[in-house]
Structures are given as C-alpha cells and as structure tokens.
Amino acid sequence: MTDNFRTRLKRGERLLGTMVTLPTASTAEILADAGFDWLFIDGEHGPLDTGDILGILQAVSHRIACIVRVPACDEVAIKKVLDLGAAGIVAPQVNTAEQAADVVHYARYAPEGSRGVGLARAHGYGFRFAEYVASANAEVSVIVQAEHRTAVDNIESIVKIPGVDAVLLGPYDLSASYGKMGQISDPEVLAGINRVTQTCQTSQMPLGYFGISFDAVKPWIDQGYSLIVAGVDVLFLGNGARRMMKDLRG
C-alpha cells in the first residue's frame, strides 16, 4: 500500500487539516499552499454542491488529500463524492454500529461493500477504471463522526466495525444533543467526550477533533488525537479583515 492519506491515518500520524466551506476553488488553493496535510471539504453545512466540490477537487486534490463530509449517511451521497475523486469521506451523525457498517459498505466496492460502479473523474472518466477500482478499497478513507449522545452510548460497538478508519468528534453538535449547545466544557459533555476518547484509544482507533482555533484543538492534540481540523476558511478571512481594520483605525 502506498503512503497515502489512509495509510498515514491508520498509522496514527498527526494529520493537520482545516475546513473549506466556501464554494470557490481559489479558497482551497490558498489553503492547500498553507502547508496543511489535508482539507476537510464540508458538503453537509453551507453552500457547497456537487459542482463546487468537483471544482475544488480538480484544483487541489493532486496536491493535498481532500476528505469530503457528505450531507448524510446516504449511499448516493457517498458514492457521488468518491466518484468525483475525494480521498475519503466524513460521515456525520453516525450513532450506531449499524449506521457505521452501512457507511463502510457504501464506500467499498464488492466484495467488501456495495459501492455503485460508474465512470467519473476518479476513474479518469473511464480510462483508468481498472486501476482505480483495484486500489480504491485500500485507499479510500472512511471517517465517522461521533456527535450525538447516542453515538457516545454506542461507541464501543461503533469502533469494532471493520473499515472504520477514524472517529471524528463533533463537540458542538454533541453538546447540543445534551441540551447544552456550545457548552463543550460542561461536565456531562466532557464525560461523553472522555468515554469516546478512552474507548477509541483502548481499541487503537484514530481520533479526530474540530476546533475553530489552535487553542481549541491543542488540549486534544495533547491527549493524543491525531486527526485535527483547525479553523474554517470564513473565519480566516473574517478574522484577518477585522485585525486589519483594528490596525488601520489605530
């Protein structure tokens, strides 16, 4: 197996990424040049549609691993972004082992799964079909999000599903599921996070975390989380603009 994103992820390397939400390939190009290991392309929230994701992948996927968060744990959504050439998927709101197994199944070609067969960008529009199909099951990453208290309750069974490559914590949605929106330091929310952390580390499942700043992700890096999503394109833009205006106004 080549030293691709999935290989590095499963090996437990620290992979530093950031979130792309703007529907412009130029934004992704700027972030790809910043030195990140991967880009989290957010197809769940915000304006990105299939055409936008295609444009981003055409612009930067040969330079940096692009992992797409699909809008739902849906067969069509998963195969569509993989056919576009994404290096992997992030599946939101995976709350049970059965859901995790379905996500893996949709992302793998037979006999390991039921991914539909088409001719698209990932296959060189048909001219690299055999090459892609031969390597896709080994190289496509499947990351599931634990972002609901039900996922916390079922985390021991979720991590046992073959083909799940990492668990990405969604702290804000998780806090909301406890009725404590944004209170990610609340003891009940932290207890849920700690259960996920301990379960994954015991089973040697790579762990991911999203935070809007370095300060937000550093405690989780210190705890051994290896898949990091730090910052969002719109916040980079907005914060930079506000700093500039503050300096200009003295």
Side-chain angles (χ1 to χ4, degrees):
M1 186 183 296
T2 57
D3 197 34
N4 56 30
F5 181 86
R6 187 180 186 221
T7 303
R8 298 175 67 194
L9 175 64
K10 290 168 69 68
R11 196 159 56 210
E13 286 189 34
R14 184 179 298 167
L15 298 170
L16 305 175
T18 193
M19 187 177 290
V20 176
T21 67
L22 294 171
T24 57
S26 299
T27 302
E29 287 182 306
I30 292 167
L31 294 174
D33 280 341
F36 291 103
D37 298 304
W38 65 292
L39 296 180
F40 180 121
I41 313 299
D42 190 10
E44 182 190 18
H45 298 287
L48 293 182
D49 60 22
T50 302
D52 300 321
I53 294 170
L54 173 60
I56 289 168
L57 295 175
Q58 287 173 324
V60 300
S61 65
H62 61 293
R63 295 158 48 192
I64 188 171
C66 294
I67 311 299
V68 178
R69 178 160 65 180
V70 293
C73 300
D74 173 78
E75 181 177 8
V76 173
I78 289 170
K79 68 183 177 183
K80 183 171 287 189
V81 299
L82 293 180
D83 284 353
L84 294 180
I89 59 164
V90 174
Q93 294 288 343
V94 176
N95 297 326
T96 67
E98 290 77 16
Q99 285 181 305
D102 284 344
V103 168
V104 173
H105 207 63
Y106 299 151
R108 300 276 183 259
Y109 287 121
E112 296 175 37
S114 63
R115 179 179 168 185
V117 178
L119 298 179
R121 179 176 177 271
H123 319 87
Y125 302 101
F127 294 97
R128 291 189 298 275
F129 177 80
E131 175 186 348
Y132 178 78
V133 171
S135 63
N137 282 358
E139 295 186 356
V140 165
S141 299
V142 175
I143 301 161
V144 300
Q145 284 201 267
E147 52 183 345
H148 195 277
R149 62 189 305 170
T150 306
V152 174
D153 293 340
N154 293 315
I155 193 64
E156 290 83 4
S157 59
I158 290 172
V159 299
K160 293 178 182 177
I161 298 301
V164 172
D165 297 319
V167 172
L168 178 66
L169 260 167
Y172 298 99
D173 281 342
L174 181 61
S175 67
S177 74
Y178 285 100
K180 300 173 180 181
M181 172 73 77
Q183 299 176 46
I184 59 177
S185 296
D186 177 86
E188 188 178 20
V189 177
L190 280 178
I193 293 174
N194 289 337
R195 179 172 171 180
V196 172
T197 302
Q198 293 169 8
T199 300
C200 289
Q201 290 180 339
T202 298
S203 63
Q204 297 185 312
M205 174 67 70
L207 270 163
Y209 192 86
F210 164 74
I212 61 173
S213 66
F214 170 73
D215 290 339
V217 300
K218 186 179 186 303
W220 308 101
I221 294 174
D222 292 343
Q223 285 197 42
Y225 281 57
S226 57
L227 185 66
I228 302 301
V229 190
V232 185
D233 51 8
V234 292
L235 292 180
F236 292 139
L237 177 61
N239 287 333
R242 283 163 173 75
R243 283 194 299 270
M244 176 62 75
M245 284 308 301
K246 182 179 178 180
D247 291 342
L248 289 171
R249 295 188 186 282

